[in-house]
Amino acid sequence: DGRTSHALFYPPANPEARGPEGEHPPLVVMIHGGPTSAARNVLALGKQFWTSRGFAVVDVNYGGSTGYGRPYRDLLQGRWGIVDVEDAVAAADHLAVEGHVDPDHLAIRGGSAGGYTTLAALCFHQVFKAGASHYGVADLSALAADTHKFESRYLDGLVGRYPEDKATYDQRSPINHTD
């Protein structure tokens, strides 16, 4: 929708290995947990694993991530499962259009809240060929009904009030859109 989002891009980096001539590398889109946390530009062996094996990596700081000011973090309010997914898709599309990665070899991965974004991207968009959700949220209603006390009202701001907005929870839950 024209907004700016942020990401950290890591091209493949292995001086002893190169992909086939004339081909672009596959891409792994990484989604941080949180969901209002952020990816940081620090040593991360998980990213190095992929880049040393010929994959490009993009670590997406979608709207709602911390570190870019309150208006940016507030983009996720009421729109978890929308803004984060759109920004992950846009990052992959942008890198493919710019010729940095192969558009036919795009994967996405994340854990916890990032796993939810991964599942939502796979269910609601046709961009990614593969994904890995590590302990991700598949059912927002189940999370709202059975979360720990510390986060018991956290989803009110990210999705809507539960159970009043249960229809929104169900609409955005990947478990309800699998085949």
Side-chain angles (χ1 to χ4, degrees):
D1 63 3
R3 71 177 178 277
T4 297
S5 61
H6 303 274
L8 304 166
F9 178 63
Y10 305 93
N14 184 337
E16 297 177 15
R18 296 221 185 278
E21 188 66 34
E23 290 189 23
H24 298 297
L27 175 70
V28 176
V29 176
M30 293 192 169
I31 306 297
H32 63 74
T36 56
S37 184
R40 300 285 179 228
N41 189 12
V42 298
L43 174 64
L45 298 179
K47 292 175 202 149
Q48 286 189 328
F49 172 85
W50 292 106
T51 60
S52 69
R53 284 153 176 84
F55 287 78
V57 170
V58 65
D59 214 347
V60 180
N61 277 322
Y62 53 78
S65 302
T66 59
Y68 301 94
R70 186 174 185 146
Y72 191 74
R73 200 189 71 186
D74 285 347
L75 289 173
L76 204 59
Q77 291 299 307
R79 299 187 65 203
W80 188 33
I82 298 171
V83 169
D84 49 328
V85 174
E86 289 174 349
D87 287 357
V89 167
D93 282 343
H94 173 76
L95 291 169
V97 167
E98 292 295 315
H100 297 293
V101 300
D102 185 338
D104 294 324
H105 293 93
L106 305 175
I108 185 169
R109 68 183 309 270
S112 190
Y116 165 69
T117 302
T118 296
L119 292 172
L122 291 169
C123 282
F124 303 125
H125 296 271
Q126 301 301 312
V127 173
F128 300 104
K129 302 295 184 197
S133 172
H134 302 270
Y135 52 92
V137 176
D139 186 343
L140 290 172
S141 291
L143 178 64
D146 191 31
T147 193
H148 51 85
K149 186 176 181 180
F150 181 70
E151 290 185 347
S152 64
R153 305 313 309 174
Y154 188 40
L155 297 180
D156 289 0
L158 296 172
V159 180
R161 301 221 15 111
Y162 189 85
E164 297 87 353
D165 296 317
K166 187 176 182 326
T168 301
Y169 281 72
D170 291 344
Q171 176 190 17
R172 293 192 201 160
S173 292
I175 195 72
N176 298 326
H177 301 278
T178 59
D179 57 18

